[in-house]
């Protein structure tokens, strides 16, 4: 026994030593790299606009300094990129921007914001050039702002209009015996439709069609302006797939040149007056954005505007960079409210919604804060359902034309396994003191009284939601109800019906906030700060050499497409309590 104890102690000791050594190496590496991470931009440099690993508006700040050090490589958010491109306009060392074989996970509103910022960059007289072996539709939309667009001789272009596909699970429920009991308000509240039907309802088809057509209109209008091609012509090209080859794309003026990547680089060298056998100076957008973010703001004022990022699904708890948590949001609002230097607040919302209770708690904190400081909401890709709930009482709401918003509706989902348990021979018995003390059981048919009470709760929360919107937007309850019912709208449509005040990005929201606060010069300060331990961060980021996260393993086994489907089903079945959630997971192609 003593021998086994010694062996066990030795094994544990070795494990602890290895762990300590590993963490020490990580920390030392972070410390050594922290001083040299800021890139030195050489003269006559070109920014390489690679957005592949940048999708969140806000990369996050952490209370633990060790986590901050460890997160430096992923510390660039989408808004940092926009700010960097803006700074590059007046940077004498930056001569232009290269968009080379771009690939991104940006939403449509982000794509629009990036394109607008690039368009503004061009006004400085500096160049933007683009090359692709093949253009996806979204990437072409971004790239179409370039002065010169190259396409590989054997490449192709995807330009065919927008579409989306929604999965339905009613049949599989019938086969497995696992049924999702649904209680909802709103004829457009189709977040739960996949569990009730085998195909899309007319109400859902109506809103999805309107949404896609509105988004497409915004896209082709921008391309039309940049490429000097009429909207009618662009729609004709999309209908006939008339730009699918490089030659067809060139003849219809969607691109400027057919060529190879080396020819593309030679063109940049010529513009920079660099000899063909020499390389030109490049800087990655992530590095340049990090440098710009770490450069002190040159503002001759102590006044600040707080920018609070609300991105991801709304849930209870602390929250994270991709989860809107009650604790993080309320703390951020309280800190901004108590800081005398903060004169106004901008809340950047990118959320499909989530928990009704958490949405109400955040709404209340905004209501308290609004009494002392003006609040402007800037909507990103999504500000739907609970995402709109936490926006509706702001002094002003700014949205991008292709922002998906509205979805004013409520639902509850309860998994029921009565049929499955009967099939496999499982039964249950209950003992209770009162008629309804047992509540809901997934192993028994849905009790009518429980359904009645839950329906009352859904209706009650829907009425509160409608009242919150009516008060915040100075509308009648009848006016809100007419555009509610769970229906989603683009930002352009939302402007017409009064759900938003103005179209634009975060820059417009900041100007509006400054005007409301009656200040001209200001610095910005980002919130929230997240409370995460070093070990939690390392685990989440997959930095352990001897372990993979559960998410990574599932993704590797299923593949990306199947994993996204798995994630969608898991998300819908995991929701607890009454939800204010966007009607569906919308992936626009």
């Amino acid at each position: 026994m003593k021998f086994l104890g010694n062996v066990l102690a030795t094994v544990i000791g070795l494990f602890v030593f290895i762990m300590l050594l590993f963490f020490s190496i990580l920390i030392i590496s972070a410390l050594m790299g922290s001083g040299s991470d800021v890139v030195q931009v050489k003269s006559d440099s070109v920014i390489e606009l690679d957005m592949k690993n940048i999708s969140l508006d806000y990369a996050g700040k952490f209370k633990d300094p060790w986590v901050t050090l460890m997160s430096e490589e992923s510390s660039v958010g989408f808004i940092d990129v926009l700010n960097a491109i803006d700074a590059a306009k007046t940077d004498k060392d930056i001569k232009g921007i290269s968009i080379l074989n771009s690939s991104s996970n940006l939403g449509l509103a982000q794509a629009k914001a990036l394109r607008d910022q690039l368009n503004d960059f061009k006004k400085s007289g500096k160049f933007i050039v683009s090359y692709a072996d093949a253009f996806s539709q979204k990437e072409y939309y971004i790239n179409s702002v370039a002065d010169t667009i190259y396409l590989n001789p054997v490449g192709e272009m995807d330009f065919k209009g927008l579409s989306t596909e929604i999965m339905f699970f009613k049949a599989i429920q019938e086969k497995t015996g696992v049924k999702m009991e649904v209680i909802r308000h709103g004829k457009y509240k189709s977040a739960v439709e996949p569990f009730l039907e085998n195909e899309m309802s007319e109400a859902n088809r109506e809103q999805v069609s309107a949404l896609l057509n509105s988004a497409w209109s915004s896209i082709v209008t921008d391309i039309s302006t940049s490429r000097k091609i009429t909207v009618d012509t662009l729609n004709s090209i999309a209908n006939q797939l008339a730009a699918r080859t490089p030659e067809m794309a060139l003849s219809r003026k969607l691109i400027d040149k057919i060529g190879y990547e080396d020819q593309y680089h030679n063109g940049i060298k010529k513009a920079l007056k660099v000899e063909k056998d020499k390389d030109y100076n490049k800087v990655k957008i992530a590095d340049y954005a990090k440098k710009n973010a770490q450069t002190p703001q040159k503002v001759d004022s102590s006044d600040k505007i707080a920018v609070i990022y609300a991105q991801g699904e709304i849930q209870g708890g602390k929250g994270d960079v991709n989860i809107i948590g009650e604790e993080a949001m309320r703390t951020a609002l309280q800190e901004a409210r108590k800081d005398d230097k903060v004169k106004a607040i901008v809340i950047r919302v990118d959320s499909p919604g989530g928990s009704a209770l958490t949405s109400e708690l955040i709404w209340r904190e905004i209501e308290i804060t609004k009494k002392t400081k003006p609040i402007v909401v800037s909507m990103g890709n999504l500000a739907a359902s609970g995402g709109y709930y936490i926006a509706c009482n702001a002094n002003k709401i700014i949205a991008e034309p292709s922002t998906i918003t509205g979805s004013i509706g409520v639902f509850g989902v309860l998994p029921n396994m009565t049929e499955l348990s009967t099939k496999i021979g499982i039964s249950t018995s209950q003992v209770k003191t009162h008629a309804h003390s047992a509540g809901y059981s997934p192993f028994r048919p849905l009790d009518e009284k429980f359904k009645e009470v839950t329906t009352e709760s859904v209706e009650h929360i829907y009425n509160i939601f409608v009242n919150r919107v009516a008060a915040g937007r100075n509308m009648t309850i009848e006016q809100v109800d007419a555009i509610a019912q769970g229906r989603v709208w683009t930002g352009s449509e939302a402007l017409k019906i009064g759900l938003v005040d103005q179209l634009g990005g975060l820059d417009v929201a900041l100007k509006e906030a400054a005007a409301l606060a009656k200040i001209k010069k200001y610095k910005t300060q980002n919130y929230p700060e997240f409370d995460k331990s070093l070990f939690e961060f390392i685990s989440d980021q997959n930095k352990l050499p001897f372990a993979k996260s559960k998410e990574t393993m599932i993704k590797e086994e299923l593949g990306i497409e199947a994993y996204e489907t798995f994630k969608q089903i898991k998300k819908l079945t995991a929701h607890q309590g009454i939800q204010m959630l966007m009607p569906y997971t919308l992936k626009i192609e």
Side-chain angles (χ1 to χ4, degrees), residues 178-243:
V178 178
K179 181 184 178 184
M180 301 303 293
E181 299 284 2
V182 173
I183 301 169
R184 61 177 172 171
H185 182 106
K187 65 178 180 178
Y188 291 99
K189 203 64 190 175
S190 48
V192 290
E193 189 175 88
F195 295 114
L196 301 174
E197 307 293 341
N198 283 322
E199 60 183 20
M200 194 180 295
S201 66
E202 285 306 310
N204 195 13
R205 187 175 294 279
E206 175 191 339
Q207 69 169 338
V208 173
S209 178
L211 197 75
L212 293 179
N213 280 301
S214 177
W216 178 252
S217 176
S218 176
I219 288 169
V220 290
T221 298
D222 286 341
I223 295 174
S224 172
T225 302
S226 292
R227 300 300 302 173
K228 296 179 174 57
I229 307 171
T230 67
V231 169
D232 287 343
T233 300
L234 287 170
N235 281 321
S236 176
I237 292 170
N239 267 326
Q240 299 172 33
L241 300 178

Side-chain angles (χ1 to χ4, degrees), residues 183 414 436 446-460:
I183 301 169
L414 300 164
H436 308 292
L446 182 63
D447 179 79
E448 284 303 315
K449 183 64 177 179
F450 181 87
K451 184 177 181 180
E452 178 188 331
V453 171
T454 307
T455 302
E456 284 179 8
S457 296
V458 167
E459 294 295 333
H460 176 64

